[in-house]
Amino acid sequence: MDKIVNRKQQLRLFLTELISFMVIFSILGLIIFARFQQSTYANIDKGLEQRAAIVSKKPMLMDRPSDFKTITIYYDKNGKILNRDSLQRFSASILKVKGQTKDLNKTFSKQVGKATMRGVYVKVNADTQRHRLPAGVEKRNNIKNNDFLKNAKYAMVLQNITPDLQGINRFKNLLLAALILFGLLVFIISYIVSRINMKPVLKAWQQQQDFVDSAAHEIRTPLTIIQNQLEGLMTKPNDTIKDQIDPIIMSLSEIRRLNGLTSDMLTLARANSNAIAIKKTSVVVPEFMSEVLDPYQEFVQSEDKQFVIKTETTQSVMLDTKRINQLLVILLDNAAKYTMPGDTITVRTVIENNSLKIQVMDTGQGISDANKKRIFDRFYREERSGNKETGGNGLGLAIAAWIIKAHNGRIKVTDNPGGGSIFTVVLPIK
Ligand code: ADP
């Protein structure tokens, strides 16, 4: 089920990325193509308009060989072609292209057989009587005289734009090929990126899932105990509280456990959503430490354990006292939980390399190397005989790790040479 959900999410991410990239590339391709097409037509039209401007003022035969793509057709007022002789080398169908007086001066495209012609139809305003063809033109075009142009009323300038259109087409194909190639690249990149992007999401999702699973499990156990105890009480309605003190004590202890669990879970949930701000104030280290540690002195000694306090600094530092107090309580509770009568718990505080270093050392059961990293995971508890009775929920060190992270500090756990563990917390003070 989880796998299917993950696949679906990954696929959605992949498709979103792919489609976004493709849309961007397509728009880019379309813009480039439109610009290219537009500038090609603009160039052609500019040439045509220049030519049209000349012929409308001064009708002349300009169909020189170098300019074979462009033809100028002159018409008299009845629409009869005047320069038919000079146009013999062009196909008759070209000469059939007719201009409309309503479309004067407007460029247009027309398909003539296989060729595409672009043209402009203009009115000839010239005083054709005064016009003389340039020297050599008559000879080159085998024209005896230019009298035929004196009646010119309209002129059509036509250009064969088939090669230009082929150029546009070639460019379009090139662009399409580039798009397909980029599409393939994008396909591969999107796939890789979606996989990379999904990793932290999946990890967070899995953590969340595990957290909920473990939380439900942790809550169910005390609830079942309370339910059993209360149901047992219901079967003895005539007993006094004194008679049934054990189930009541057990239920209350489980309720206390549930209370602690929910408040720990709340702390972690709020820490996760950055809803808890760190408020640092200046504290004198020995004063702060004795405030936290003094209540433990009596408690630890009552369990026949030794409590040693080594505060080796008198400096003031900036700390979130509430959170550091919470951190120390977690470490001290653990030290007390996982030691036996006769063991020693030592708390050493020192300033080293611009950091406040706090070490909580015990001579207890110690932590196996394999578990040294995992004990900071939520709900992680070492599987050991006796661990169940300590009443922990596996959230303490996860909270400790968060508090240290919020202070930009570090925590590590090492073996105490004589047996037991050393938790070393380093908090930068600058
Ligand atoms: P809890 O103590 O409630 O189980 P923690 O997150 O505080 O949860 O600790 C996780 C686990 O790390 C404990 O279950 C225990 O196995 C181990 N641990 C923590 N502190 C010590 C210690 N001082 N000595 C030995 N084991 C410890």
Side-chain angles (χ1 to χ4, degrees), residues 264 330-339 360-362 364-368 371 374-384 387 390-399 413 420-423:
D264 281 354
I330 291 168
L331 296 180
L332 288 167
D333 272 350
N334 280 350
K337 273 194 288 190
Y338 304 109
T339 44
V360 179
M361 310 177 246
D362 66 61
Q365 63 186 44
I367 301 163
S368 70
N371 286 331
R374 302 191 64 193
I375 52 170
F376 296 98
D377 291 347
R378 292 163 181 199
F379 291 113
Y380 185 77
R381 310 199 68 209
E382 270 190 298
E383 291 286 337
R384 272 180 197 240
N387 254 18
T390 58
N393 55 34
L395 290 179
L397 288 179
I399 295 176
V413 56
S421 348
I422 303 178
F423 283 83

Side-chain angles (χ1 to χ4, degrees), residues 186-249:
V186 163
F187 185 87
I188 297 166
I189 292 170
S190 300
Y191 181 75
I192 296 169
V193 169
S194 69
R195 275 196 80 114
I196 294 172
N197 280 353
M198 276 307 283
K199 265 199 183 135
V201 177
L202 288 180
K203 199 175 157 210
W205 194 71
Q206 193 56 49
Q207 273 177 351
Q208 197 70 14
Q209 194 80 359
D210 291 347
F211 184 70
V212 173
D213 282 355
S214 314
H217 181 77
E218 288 291 323
I219 290 170
R220 207 169 43 205
T221 317
L223 278 181
T224 313
I225 297 173
I226 295 167
Q227 189 182 0
N228 287 343
Q229 299 303 322
L230 290 181
E231 278 171 1
L233 286 183
M234 294 283 280
T235 59
K236 293 158 191 153
N238 296 324
D239 278 12
T240 62
I241 288 180
K242 212 171 159 193
D243 297 331
Q244 293 298 331
I245 197 72
D246 284 348
I248 292 172
I249 288 176

Side-chain angles (χ1 to χ4, degrees), residues 278 280-281 283 285 288-289 292 313 315-328 331 348-360 399-412 423-430:
I278 293 293
K280 289 188 183 176
T281 48
V283 287
V285 177
F288 173 69
M289 289 311 282
V292 182
T313 175
Q315 222 174 297
S316 295
V317 293
M318 295 293 286
L319 294 175
D320 183 328
T321 48
K322 194 175 153 206
R323 294 295 161 199
I324 298 300
N325 192 328
Q326 191 180 6
L327 161 75
L328 288 171
L331 296 180
R348 178 172 173 251
T349 314
V350 63
I351 302 274
E352 260 179 32
N353 306 325
N354 275 331
S355 298
L356 176 70
K357 184 165 149 189
I358 307 171
Q359 287 183 303
V360 179
I399 295 176
W402 165 72
I403 293 171
I404 291 157
K405 196 172 155 216
H407 276 82
N408 296 319
R410 295 178 270 125
I411 184 166
K412 69 170 182 195
F423 283 83
T424 305
V425 173
V426 179
L427 302 169
I429 49 176
K430 285 254 164 65

Side-chain angles (χ1 to χ4, degrees), residues 222 226 249-261:
I226 295 167
I249 288 176
M250 192 181 259
S251 301
L252 278 176
S253 135
E254 289 304 315
I255 288 170
R256 224 169 285 127
R257 212 165 102 77
L258 271 179
N259 239 336
L261 179 69

